[in-house]
Amino acid sequence: MSPLKIEKGASSHSVYALRDPHSEIVEKHTLAVLVENEPGVLARVIGLFSGRGYNIESLTVAEVDHTGHRSRITIVTTGTPAVIDQIKAQLGRIVPVHQVHDLTVEGPAVERELALLKVANDGEKRVEALRLADIFRAKVVDSTLSSFVFELTGTPEKIDAFAELMRPLGLSELARTGVAALKRGEL
Amino acid sequence: MARQMTGAQMVVQALKDQGVDTVFGYPGGAVLPIYDEIFQQNEINHVLVRHEQGAVHAAEGYARSTGKPGVVLVTSGPGATNAVTGLTDALLDSIPLVVLTGQVATFLIGTDGFQEADTVGITRPCTKHNWLVKDTDKLADTIHQAFHVATSGRPGPVLIDIPKDVQFAEAGYIEPQKARTSHYQPKMKADIESINDLVSLIEKAERPVFYTGGGVINSGPAASQLLTELVEGTGIPITSTLMGLGAYPASGKNWLGMLGMHGLYEANMAMHGCDLMINVGARFDDRITGKVDEFSPGSHKVHIDIDPSSINKIIRVDLPIIGDVAHVLEDVLKVWKSRGRKTNAPAVAKWWEQIGEWRAINCLSYKNSDKVIKPQYALQRLEALTKNHDRYITTEVGQHQMWAAQFLGFEAPNRWMTSGGLGTMGYGFPASIGVQMAHRDALVINVAGEASWLMNMQEMGTAVQFNLPVKQFILNNERLGMVRQWQELMHGERYSHSWSESLPDFVKLAEAFGAKGILCKDPADLDDAIMEMINHDGPVIFDCLVEKHENCFPMIPSGKAHNEILLGAEAAAFSGGGALV
Ligand SMILES: Cc1ncc(C[n+]2csc(CCOP(=O)(O)OP(=O)(O)O)c2C)c(N)n1
Ligand SMILES: [Mg+2]
């Protein structure tokens, strides 16, 4: 009496045949999580990511509706499609979470980050830093005779690129907000 | 205008308005105002446990056996931290609980005050939701919300932390109907398309199987009835997880027995070989799937669950159906009937033949003895002598738990309370107390191992004080039996710290608490001893000395596939292979 010997994928119904062949590829997704702004809600979201071993690349949060006490948390995370689906489902279970939007799949979105960069230098380097800032449309928001603080908004990639250029020119401190994102279009 | 009252009065009023009749608790400085209010009323029974962990497990037993949320009241600091194991247990098994903890006064929070602990911080990952109420105005509303959240959607434990000054202060009481609950409304009904798809699959399947779990029990008695009707109507075999036992009657003709690591051979083989798996309220736990890559390789998988995060968490399914089990099954039955009650009867009949061959192996067979009581025999006798009673069973964790699941039959839901997800030794005794509080005239038996039982033995005091005739049926192998079994099979028989030494004399222990103790070691005396236990009107510790080195089979070693199941010597001799003894 031998057990049924069934090969993987032997049946036309096999789930293995249906599995997305790319499912092991790690993707980056931007999630917008609308929450009730009650104490501890951020701890719940962060605790979910650490407790279940998910990645957070960046996270921003602020109250966006002061009368309704709603906050918007924007999370950039990475994972295989299955992990991303789990993250969204797990976020959706948190009681004060009202909505979870995956801006990466819901259509085109605008993503912006703000950075402040302190660059300390003089002479040629100072001139070069200013010239590059101009190309990147960074603003000078503070200046001494031997330093600038630049303010730059853009995609995270643009900020990475600018920071790389500033590094040899005397970049001494960098503060970034993390990504804020909105879906494009009317709705 | 809303009725003015103190926070402590609000707590008691809100519990009454939520229909609470029993609270399990333990007092302390930070909940004294609430205890003062409890003292001054008679509608709510308070059961004084002997340890806060016991309170939470008792509330779980109460909840699981009634379908109502269990309620716990404990003090701040150590009272709250002692409740953590129970909260985690309830979270993993989706048991609705409302736990009220006292907290130091709001102006002391953050100062490391006496008996201050960050209770909401500590319990955030082990509750479905929790609240720290800093304002008496919000207290009643929060308690009503808490009951709503604990019992809606996938049930679970919630906790409300109430600082002492909030209990003293006065504010207006908010009635349950006026509480803010609208923001949390999980979806109950599934899309009709997915229901139609499932019916099509049922109509065509050649080797279908129902795989059901605790979600059926949580959905309420109607879910069990609908499940039974669908199973009998379609003639499809059914197996269940540990948590789902009783949803379909064990005497039903389609019952395959429990599946999983210590599940029945025929149940696991049916899971492995099926072409249609209909998961109803189960969650593909690793004790069920074994090796995920080789789990039921040829099947079309359907998953009915109220919690979207359960879908595709471990096993990718072909047809997810998100909704409450009772709602979904009602729709499935309706559609299946309206389309002419079709099944692929000839193929399913062949499938039953195959299952019959697996069944013939008789995977639960064991070598009995007339010298020493075999644990399986003890449970068979317990089953025979108690099955016609109004009976509820709780268990501890270990071999005895698995044998209880294999050898006891459950005909209805809510009759079987066990710690499934967390596997908490020490669960069963306090749970039996909670069950008995809810069912005063029923026969409540905790099938225990001696080691687990000792973990919450202080609750003998509770059982005696409240005249709760709970029967502690201890299968005493003087071993941490399940640990010993793994050491024997997986760790070269090196029995590192897996035996129970310096055990108490359980009969004397019972007597020391003012209860009855029974010792039984001869198989010939077993029936009389069990009858003596049943007939005694009061709590009993039954010390059943059993074979020390019995192994629990079948067993799927962790990480192995269903068809790599190990059988005991008796069954293996018959099947011609797969033995490891
Ligand atoms: C609180 C807790 N600690 C440790 C374990 C690990 N564990 C699982 S079963 C077991 C042995 C249980 O022994 P006993 O209660 O005598 O039951 P038996 O297996 O002998 O029937 C242990 C230590 C657990 N499940 N829970
Ligand atoms: Mg033992």
Side-chain angles (χ1 to χ4, degrees), chain B residues 53 85 396-403 422-426 448-455 474-485 497-498 500 548:
Chain B
Q53 184 187 354
T85 301
E396 303 289 348
V397 171
Q399 290 179 315
H400 63 276
Q401 176 191 30
M402 293 298 117
W403 280 315
L422 194 64
T424 311
M425 292 171 69
E450 82 295 339
S452 295
W453 193 83
L454 288 176
M455 285 209 177
I474 301 178
L475 296 174
N476 183 353
N477 52 11
E478 297 174 19
R479 298 291 180 280
L480 313 185
M482 189 57 92
V483 172
R484 193 207 57 76
Q485 173 167 348
H497 300 274
S498 57
S500 298
K548 299 186 202 312

Side-chain angles (χ1 to χ4, degrees), chain B residues 52-87:
Chain B
E52 289 86 352
Q53 184 187 354
V56 186
H57 294 322
E60 288 185 87
Y62 178 96
R64 193 76 176 162
S65 68
T66 60
K68 298 198 290 181
V71 181
V72 174
L73 173 61
V74 297
T75 194
S76 65
T81 55
N82 274 350
V84 166
T85 301
L87 287 168

Side-chain angles (χ1 to χ4, degrees), chain A residues 6-181:
Chain A
I6 295 173
E7 298 277 302
K8 256 195 211 182
S11 149
S12 59
H13 295 317
S14 166
V15 292
Y16 294 94
L18 297 173
R19 202 173 249 174
D20 174 3
H22 300 298
S23 67
E24 297 312 313
I25 291 176
V26 172
E27 300 171 350
K28 184 187 280 195
H29 284 236
T30 304
L31 309 179
V33 189
L34 300 175
V35 301
E36 186 96 14
N37 187 16
E38 60 177 42
V41 65
L42 187 59
R44 279 178 217 286
V45 170
I46 293 172
L48 171 71
F49 277 76
S50 64
R52 293 186 185 264
Y54 306 140
N55 299 316
I56 299 183
E57 298 239 315
S58 96
L59 182 144
T60 63
V61 56
E63 190 169 81
V64 290
D65 171 359
H66 296 307
T67 41
H69 301 292
R70 294 295 165 81
S71 290
R72 185 180 176 103
I73 303 177
T74 309
I75 304 172
V76 180
T77 183
T78 55
T80 61
V83 168
I84 301 281
D85 283 349
Q86 255 305 294
I87 292 174
K88 289 186 275 184
Q90 293 291 351
L91 284 168
R93 287 172 92 194
I94 298 177
V95 173
V97 167
H98 291 275
Q99 285 170 24
V100 181
H101 291 287
D102 185 341
L103 297 175
T104 305
V105 302
E106 284 180 15
V110 197
E111 295 194 2
R112 288 294 179 272
E113 189 177 1
L114 185 145
L116 296 172
L117 304 92
K118 184 173 286 180
V119 182
N121 52 17
D122 47 26
E124 248 324 287
K125 285 190 173 170
R126 194 166 160 82
V127 179
E128 184 58 20
L130 264 186
R131 196 163 27 225
L132 288 166
D134 194 39
I135 293 169
F136 275 77
R137 294 202 201 93
K139 271 199 296 186
V140 177
V141 290
D142 179 66
S143 167
T144 68
L145 289 176
S146 57
S147 73
F148 292 116
V149 173
F150 293 114
E151 174 196 314
L152 178 65
T153 42
T155 61
E157 292 72 28
K158 175 175 167 180
I159 290 169
D160 285 343
F162 187 62
E164 268 326 297
L165 289 171
M166 286 301 121
R167 216 170 289 283
L169 299 178
L171 179 68
S172 64
E173 258 187 283
L174 172 61
R176 300 174 69 149
T177 57
V179 172

